[in-house]
Amino acid sequence: VEATVGADNMAAIKIFGLGENCKPLWKDAGAKYDETDEHLVIMGKPVMERWETPYMHKLASIAASKGGRVLELGFGLAISATKIQSFAVDEHVIVECNDGVFKRLEAFAKTAKQKVTPLKGLWEEVVP
């Protein structure tokens, strides 16, 4: 798989090796947030970066625009989660499988304006 990493780095680089499966180790892998909270890296893989904010906010606005229950897969840097909280949703369900990221999600849920239901695990294991 090739992907462009970061807005300033337009060179395509390989993020995953051929046949690489990160799922079994992802839960316990260290979540590395940089000191400015601009980048999240897990297992050497870029998970989320702040330059994604305009795109993530647009998607979150569309998803939450009609209220109701909103399902979010992955918490990352809380970019879309924060935007979803600005809407009058009945419930904001967030699935996160990484232990370190889930700890941040739990703290976020405690202070969220709207109801947040954190679910721990892979989406295919926890979503009804």
Side-chain angles (χ1 to χ4, degrees):
V1 174
E2 290 189 3
T4 302
V5 180
D8 298 328
N9 181 4
M10 296 309 288
I13 61 170
K14 289 187 179 181
I15 299 174
F16 296 94
L18 186 62
E20 182 179 10
N21 180 6
C22 296
K23 256 188 192 181
L25 303 175
W26 199 262
K27 175 187 173 287
D28 298 319
K32 295 181 172 78
Y33 294 89
D34 68 353
E35 60 281 348
T36 60
D37 208 34
E38 293 286 318
H39 307 278
L40 169 59
V41 176
I42 300 175
M43 294 179 60
K45 317 294 185 201
V47 174
M48 184 166 272
E49 299 181 356
R50 288 279 169 211
W51 64 264
E52 300 173 77
T53 298
Y55 178 69
M56 298 302 288
H57 277 189
K58 184 66 173 175
L59 293 176
S61 295
I62 293 167
S65 64
K66 295 184 180 182
R69 294 177 73 202
V70 177
L71 172 64
E72 182 174 0
L73 302 180
F75 184 65
L77 294 170
I79 295 172
S80 55
T82 301
K83 186 64 174 178
I84 290 168
Q85 286 297 304
S86 71
F87 288 85
V89 297
D90 298 329
E91 183 179 17
H92 182 186
V93 178
I94 307 174
V95 177
E96 178 55 56
C97 66
N98 180 271
D99 290 339
V101 179
F102 192 79
K103 286 178 186 171
R104 282 194 173 203
L105 168 54
E106 288 177 311
F108 177 87
K110 288 177 184 173
T111 62
K113 181 179 173 184
Q114 311 299 340
K115 178 183 178 186
V116 173
T117 303
L119 297 179
K120 177 83 171 75
L122 297 168
W123 71 267
E124 58 266 38
E125 297 169 351
V126 299
V127 173

